[in-house]
Amino acid sequence: MKIEKNKIVLIDYTLTDNDGVVIDTSQGREPLKYLHGTGALISGLEKELEGKEVGAKLDIAVKPEDGYGLRNEALLQKVPTEHFPTEPAIQVGMQFQADGPQGPILVTIIDLNHTEVTVDGNHPLAGATLNFKVEVKEIKEPTEEELSHGHSH
């Protein structure tokens, strides 16, 4: 059986940046299980998995355009400090949910001083090439419930 739209796929993976630093991995956990062709994975990874069979081992480099997108400097914003809670004390790296033009977005504090906080609404991996080592562990037919819900259970 090959990976194609509406198949349940289980993969083991390790994601690294261009310096080889591990960003995420399924090592030591259950394989990642998803319904192929529904946007459950970033498009570049899903595209490279299309047509593969159980046992396939792949090294996949996903360009930013096919991953979490290019960085958008318009998503950097300076916000007055009083718009943030005083407890716990805010720090660089903290994340908050904010209202974006198309609904809620996650923003990360990237700089702060006594009067303002600089937040970044880009995904933390925006602009990054994503390097995946993937092994296809299993491919199977979805249940009717998985198909109707649009994701694996």
Side-chain angles (χ1 to χ4, degrees), residues 48-63:
E48 292 294 324
L49 289 169
E50 184 79 24
K52 303 302 186 273
E53 297 179 339
V54 171
K57 293 181 180 180
L58 309 156
D59 289 321
I60 301 168
V62 177
K63 294 183 225 166

Side-chain angles (χ1 to χ4, degrees), residues 44-121:
L45 180 57
E46 194 168 68
K47 179 181 172 185
E48 292 294 324
L49 289 169
E50 184 79 24
K52 303 302 186 273
E53 297 179 339
V54 171
K57 293 181 180 180
L58 309 156
D59 289 321
I60 301 168
V62 177
K63 294 183 225 166
E65 300 88 334
D66 298 322
Y68 292 100
L70 298 172
R71 287 196 49 77
N72 179 353
E73 296 308 311
L75 295 177
L76 296 176
Q77 185 176 8
K78 293 184 185 289
V79 179
T81 306
E82 64 260 15
H83 291 282
F84 289 86
T86 56
E87 292 296 324
I90 58 173
Q91 299 175 18
V92 170
M94 289 179 119
Q95 295 182 315
F96 294 88
Q97 188 169 340
D99 293 325
Q102 295 157 339
I105 62 168
L106 189 65
V107 298
T108 303
I109 295 176
I110 60 169
D111 193 23
L112 62 107
N113 60 39
H114 295 297
T115 59
E116 62 187 12
V117 177
T118 304
V119 295
D120 185 351

Side-chain angles (χ1 to χ4, degrees), residues 131-146:
N131 302 294
F132 290 90
K133 286 192 177 300
V134 177
E135 181 177 359
V136 179
K137 302 301 275 183
E138 188 175 351
I139 304 166
K140 59 186 182 178
E141 295 294 335
T143 64
E144 287 300 318
E145 184 178 24
E146 288 170 321

Side-chain angles (χ1 to χ4, degrees), residues 17 27 30 69 107 117 150:
D17 65 15
Q27 189 173 21
E30 295 291 318
V107 298
V117 177

